[in-house]
Amino acid sequence: MSSPTNTWIGMDSESIKKKLFKIAMKSQWEEIVQAYRQETRAREVKITRSGDTALHIAVLDGQEERVEELVNLVSIEELKLQNEGGNTPLHFAAAQGNVRMCECIAKDYPSLVGIRNKDKETPLFLAALHGKKDAFLCLHYICTPNGPNYSYCRREDGETILHCAISGDYFDLALSVIPLYKDLVNSVNEAGFSPLHLLASQPSAFRSGSHLSLWNRIIYNCILVDELEVEGADHFHERVKKTIDSEKASEYPENYKTCINFLLLFWKMVQALVPHKEVDHRRGPKKSTDPENPKEPTGGNPYNTCFDFVKLLSKAMLIVLGLGTTEIQKIRNKKEKHKWAVQIMEKLLESALIYEYEDSGMNPQAATTDETSPYQISDGSLPPEVTRNKTPEMEKKETPILIAAKNGVTEMVEKILDLFPVAIHDLNAQKKNIVLLAVLPPEVTRNKTPEMEKKETPILIAAKNGVTEMVEKILELFPVAIHDLNAQKKNVVLLAVEHRQPHVYQLLLKRKIMKESVFCKVDKDGNSALHLAAKLGDYKPWLIPGAALQMQWEIKWYEFVKKSMPSHFVRYNQKRQTAKEIFTETHTEIVKDGGNWLANTSQSCSVVAALIATVAFATASTVPGGTKEENGKPTLEHQPAFDVFSIASLVALCFSVTAMVMFLAILTSRYQERDFGKELPRKLLFGLTSLFLSIASMLVSFCAGHFFVLKDELKYAAFPVYAITCLPVSFFAIAQFPLYVDLVRATFKKVPQRSYKD
């Protein structure tokens, strides 16, 4: 083969830029590699409006082999080239999670991992932000051979890689981050939230915060989910090497993969049947975080062998079914999320045991070294353009308190806050306040304003969001947490009541705590738990449709809290209002809406009941086949169909009239507040029950009477005809059936069911 001609030598920079752009858009990567070999200017020219080089585009296009060739041709300075957003090729590779490209770019130049883009994000941070676990671990082991480098793990706003992993529900990544960067467990962001705060703010990540139907609950309990395990460095490198080698190898069809997976699982089943003993002397027996599927210590126990066999069999069935139906796969993903969230919660709480509970993320902590300073960025990590363009005007925008905080002049900061408390909100040109410019010393923290103290502890956030697992675990490890208060002086009981979280409230009732001091607590406005139970917010708190049923559950919730309160509690708040007065005041609108809904529903159903009563009266007074002239008895009186017709007609007439009476009683009701507790819902339930029975009886009466007409012609083939004929009338009953189920549930449940935010 003849050697390629030197087509790039002698070209001006503008021509190189245009030609590189054209061939990059056509994915002619061999020619771009040739350009990098022949012309050094091609390696640093930016060919797009966003300032990307050809190497940037190759990474974005996923050209792994071409990226390796290009990286071998460029220097570290060319690898540091940033686009308009400050991103290097390594930023793009990390965000995509491409381990092969990350290793190729960074293995010889670990300092590339510390370069920040304009959002002050390192490639390591971007990998965590996008949930790319393998890329994150790859960059971690490259840039931290002698220990963790915390300056790479934090953004300017205080968000850490652990914050990002938990916020994005990347719990497998979070479990890997915790042992590698232990100090991040108690780190806080600019808003003052620790990773545990964020986890407590995600109720959908836990089983208690998810609503499942009966069928989905059955599937949920049958699915087996493995615990997450921390992967060691050697195992990770070995797995990555196998993955890269398999990507380079030829691919086989998808159906072959299914067969191979099934055979592998079958071999594991055979191994499961053989008693084995597996002991980890360093960690001891491992406890399961899933109460539904406990994981017993492995060994020669036949129960363990049976459990492993069933677990592998279920996996094999999912492979045979193509990993299960879409719905089953969704439920599996949900259960994995729930189980892993509990595992992460326990890890976070275990790491917080060395601290006082009050220091577990509520306030920013003073760092011991510059590396772990919550909001400080190392001097060498900022792009040169930032420090180069810093003008004296930018420095002049800092107020005295900001300069004093930055330079550690504690006396001045304290004096300014004493004289001018509003100075706590001062910002410089970069919108940094004194918390971002320096960690506040203890002398300043005692003078914190109410705005600084409004951050809630994890147990308060968990109680507010209904995360019973976290509330229970925190109280188990830190019993003193039951006395935590927020800025409004609300404890865990008051927040659970205010935010309508029955599961949390019932959990607190079952615990052996001093009810006089906890349940009788009042907030800064003098409101007790009963006052908060009586107060209705702007949102719909209960998982049930219709204003009338919402009102019914509001009354039940108020009565439940009232009965569970001790005999002596605060009757009036600071506004001299009782709980009953607050209930009447805040529920005026929902009473009005509930009355309108009941009136409209009763009016519609009464029309249907009247029609059925009319038809039922006509059929009940009509005798099929006529009567005998000699004695006036029905001609068909001894036939079963005639008996069915007679009874069904009478039942339809009776229940239709009953339904009409119930709906008329609702229409003429006064719609007072107390009526929504029992009277109106029971009348509606009785009316709907009578209506459904009258509809069913009318259909049976019609089919039985018409059977005499077709029994000689169609015989038993008439039954399918009757079934099809009755479908239009049955649609009404089917449409109203969900309302009936909700009404039964709302009427007979003693404690309302909490709402869920998915």
Side-chain angles (χ1 to χ4, degrees):
M1 182 185 292
S2 59
S3 61
T5 58
N6 298 327
T7 57
W8 296 89
I9 298 178
M11 296 178 63
D12 59 272
S13 299
E14 191 64 25
S15 300
I16 293 175
K17 176 180 177 180
K18 291 182 178 180
K19 188 173 181 180
L20 278 175
F21 178 78
K22 289 182 180 179
I23 61 179
M25 295 301 102
K26 295 179 181 179
S27 297
Q28 297 176 355
W29 298 107
E30 296 88 350
E31 193 169 348
I32 289 180
V33 173
Q34 192 60 36
Y36 268 51
R37 284 199 180 101
Q38 296 179 5
E39 181 56 66
T40 56
R41 289 176 297 170
R43 305 171 187 173
E44 59 186 17
V45 65
K46 297 181 178 181
I47 63 177
T48 65
R49 289 185 178 179
S50 58
D52 296 318
T53 65
L55 182 56
H56 282 86
I57 299 175
V59 173
L60 287 173
D61 199 33
Q63 300 292 327
E64 296 178 348
E65 295 181 0
R66 302 306 175 191
V67 167
E68 289 180 350
E69 295 182 50
L70 295 175
V71 169
N72 291 331
L73 295 172
V74 299
S75 64
I76 183 174
E77 296 301 325
E78 290 159 346
L79 286 174
K80 288 182 178 180
L81 289 175
Q82 298 170 292
N83 62 8
E84 294 294 329
N87 293 307
T88 65
L90 185 58
H91 281 87
F92 287 158
Q96 290 181 341
N98 194 307
V99 179
R100 185 177 174 185
M101 288 194 293
C102 288
E103 186 176 14
C104 166
I105 296 172
K107 65 180 179 180
D108 294 329
Y109 308 107
S111 61
L112 294 174
V113 182
I115 297 178
R116 297 179 182 271
N117 59 16
K118 288 191 175 180
D119 293 326
K120 305 301 182 290
E121 298 165 339
T122 63
L124 185 73
F125 187 93
L126 277 182
L129 182 64
H130 293 87
K132 308 301 181 181
K133 175 185 172 183
D134 289 346
F136 170 82
L137 292 176
C138 174
L139 294 176
H140 164 76
Y141 290 123
I142 289 175
C143 71
T144 57
N146 300 321
N149 190 335
Y150 287 92
S151 63
Y152 294 170
C153 303
R154 189 183 290 271
R155 197 165 51 190
E156 191 177 30
D157 60 358
E159 291 284 334
T160 67
I161 53 178
L162 189 55
H163 285 86
C164 296
I166 292 177
S167 297
D169 291 342
Y170 308 127
F171 297 130
D172 55 341
L173 173 60
L175 190 68
S176 299
V177 170
I178 291 173
L180 295 176
Y181 298 88
K182 297 180 180 179
D183 292 345
L184 295 183
V185 171
N186 295 300
S187 62
V188 295
N189 58 13
E190 189 177 24
F193 291 116
S194 68
L196 193 60
H197 284 83
L198 295 181
L199 189 61
S201 303
Q202 298 175 238
S204 61
F206 295 88
R207 175 66 183 91
S208 61
S210 299
H211 176 67
L212 297 172
S213 62
L214 177 62
W215 173 246
N216 287 344
R217 282 201 302 271
I218 295 174
I219 299 176
Y220 182 94
N221 293 325
C222 292
I223 293 176
L224 302 173
V225 174
D226 293 327
E227 286 186 348
L228 290 172
E229 295 183 0
V230 179
E231 190 175 20
D234 295 336
H235 185 272
F236 168 74
H237 291 305
E238 182 181 353
R239 180 173 61 82
V240 168
K241 186 177 183 302
K242 290 181 179 179
T243 302
I244 295 176
D245 293 342
S246 64
E247 289 177 355
K248 294 180 180 179
S250 58
E251 294 289 333
Y252 40 82
E254 191 68 26
N255 56 342
Y256 284 17
K257 293 181 181 180
T258 301
C259 295
I260 291 175
N261 289 337
F262 180 76
L263 292 175
L264 289 174
L265 284 178
F266 181 77
W267 173 245
K268 288 184 179 180
M269 288 182 190
V270 175
Q271 291 179 325
L273 293 174
V274 180
H276 58 283
K277 189 172 184 180
E278 187 179 308
V279 179
D280 191 343
H281 298 283
R282 295 172 300 173
R283 301 178 62 183
K286 189 174 183 181
K287 295 183 179 179
S288 174
T289 59
D290 187 1
E292 297 164 359
N293 300 313
K295 186 175 181 181
E296 299 292 339
T298 56
N301 194 328
Y303 294 104
N304 296 328
T305 303
C306 182
F307 179 78
D308 291 340
F309 182 80
V310 172
K311 184 168 64 174
L312 293 172
L313 182 62
S314 66
K315 290 183 179 180
M317 290 301 297
L318 288 177
I319 289 179
V320 172
L321 297 173
L323 293 180
T325 63
T326 305
E327 190 65 26
I328 293 178
Q329 189 61 30
K330 287 181 180 178
I331 298 174
R332 166 176 283 277
N333 295 339
K334 184 173 289 189
K335 184 163 186 178
E336 288 178 344
K337 180 180 177 181
H338 296 164
K339 183 170 183 177
W340 296 345
V342 173
Q343 195 174 350
I344 294 299
M345 177 194 71
E346 293 182 349
K347 290 292 183 182
L348 292 175
L349 291 173
E350 285 175 8
S351 301
L353 287 175
I354 59 175
Y355 300 99
E356 295 287 338
Y357 176 76
E358 290 77 12
D359 294 338
S360 61
M362 183 176 178
N363 299 314
Q365 299 298 313
T368 55
T369 64
D370 291 339
E371 276 191 336
T372 58
S373 182
Y375 304 110
Q376 185 177 351
I377 299 174
S378 60
D379 296 336
S381 61
L382 287 174
E385 298 90 296
V386 177
T387 55
R388 191 168 55 233
N389 297 327
K390 191 172 183 179
T391 62
E393 288 74 12
M394 296 173 64
E395 293 282 350
K396 292 178 182 178
K397 291 184 179 180
E398 292 184 347
T399 58
I401 191 174
L402 297 179
I403 298 174
K406 184 170 62 175
N407 295 312
V409 186
T410 307
E411 297 82 357
M412 182 177 291
V413 173
E414 183 178 7
K415 191 64 177 177
I416 291 175
L417 288 178
D418 285 338
L419 298 175
F420 309 102
V422 72
I424 196 72
H425 302 292
D426 284 2
L427 303 175
N428 66 1
Q430 291 80 33
K431 295 184 177 180
K432 295 180 180 178
N433 59 13
I434 60 174
V435 178
L436 295 178
L437 291 172
V439 177
L440 288 176
E443 295 84 2
V444 180
T445 55
R446 69 165 176 259
N447 296 319
K448 290 186 295 184
T449 63
E451 288 77 8
M452 297 177 64
E453 294 181 337
K454 67 182 180 181
K455 300 298 182 293
E456 296 177 335
T457 57
I459 191 173
L460 298 180
I461 298 175
K464 186 167 60 176
N465 291 303
V467 186
T468 55
E469 295 92 339
M470 184 172 292
V471 173
E472 186 175 13
K473 191 66 178 180
I474 291 178
L475 289 178
E476 179 185 336
L477 298 176
F478 311 102
V480 72
I482 195 70
H483 301 291
D484 280 6
L485 303 176
N486 65 1
Q488 289 77 37
K489 294 185 178 180
K490 293 177 181 176
N491 63 2
V492 62
V493 174
L494 296 180
L495 287 173
V497 171
E498 182 183 21
H499 292 269
R500 272 51 173 177
Q501 302 295 349
H503 291 80
V504 177
Y505 191 73
Q506 288 177 305
L507 173 67
L508 297 173
L509 286 174
K510 294 176 182 178
R511 292 188 65 88
K512 295 180 180 180
I513 55 180
M514 297 178 63
K515 292 188 177 181
E516 293 292 334
S517 61
V518 176
F519 283 81
C520 290
K521 189 74 177 177
V522 295
D523 62 11
K524 67 177 184 179
D525 297 322
N527 293 313
S528 66
L530 193 57
H531 286 87
L532 296 177
K535 187 177 181 180
L536 178 65
D538 297 330
Y539 60 96
K540 290 185 178 180
W542 304 114
L543 185 67
I544 196 163
L549 301 185
Q550 289 273 342
M551 184 62 189
Q552 184 187 18
W553 274 16
E554 278 290 290
I555 294 174
K556 285 195 171 187
W557 177 240
Y558 176 79
E559 294 294 335
F560 176 72
V561 174
K562 185 177 180 180
K563 290 179 181 178
S564 62
M565 293 288 291
S567 55
H568 303 287
F569 62 94
V570 178
R571 180 176 177 82
Y572 295 95
N573 60 11
Q574 292 182 0
K575 295 181 180 180
R576 303 304 298 171
Q577 289 178 310
T578 64
K580 184 64 176 177
E581 290 172 349
I582 294 177
F583 189 92
T584 302
E585 179 183 343
T586 58
H587 288 79
T588 303
E589 194 65 28
I590 195 173
V591 168
K592 181 180 177 181
D593 295 339
N596 293 334
W597 179 82
L598 278 175
N600 294 331
T601 303
S602 300
Q603 190 173 2
S604 301
C605 294
S606 61
V607 172
V608 179
L611 292 174
I612 296 175
T614 303
V615 175
F617 180 80
T619 55
S621 59
T622 303
V623 180
T627 58
K628 299 177 182 178
E629 296 181 358
E630 59 273 13
N631 54 14
K633 291 184 179 181
T635 308
L636 306 173
E637 65 175 337
H638 296 297
Q639 297 194 24
F642 180 79
D643 296 336
V644 172
F645 169 82
S646 302
I647 296 173
S649 299
L650 184 60
V651 171
L653 178 61
C654 176
F655 280 109
S656 60
V657 172
T658 303
M660 286 179 58
V661 172
M662 289 295 104
F663 293 132
L664 287 175
I666 294 175
L667 289 172
T668 57
S669 176
R670 296 170 295 176
Y671 299 112
Q672 291 186 349
E673 179 185 295
R674 63 175 181 270
D675 295 337
F676 288 87
K678 293 181 180 179
E679 183 179 343
L680 290 176
R682 288 180 179 178
K683 287 180 179 179
L684 183 60
L685 179 61
F686 195 19
L688 286 176
T689 304
S690 301
L691 181 61
F692 290 145
L693 291 175
S694 64
I695 291 175
S697 301
M698 185 193 69
L699 294 178
V700 171
S701 174
F702 165 76
C703 295
H706 203 268
F707 181 74
F708 297 109
V709 180
L710 298 178
K711 67 175 183 177
D712 295 329
E713 298 292 335
L714 299 178
K715 294 185 179 180
Y716 294 105
F719 292 109
V721 176
Y722 295 145
I724 296 174
T725 307
C726 295
L727 281 179
V729 185
S730 303
F731 284 153
F732 173 79
I734 295 174
Q736 295 296 325
F737 189 71
L739 171 62
Y740 184 79
V741 173
D742 289 332
L743 193 58
V744 172
R745 183 159 55 96
T747 302
F748 293 104
K749 268 188 173 292
K750 293 183 179 180
V751 182
Q753 184 176 353
R754 59 159 292 183
S755 58
Y756 297 89
K757 301 174 184 178
D758 292 331

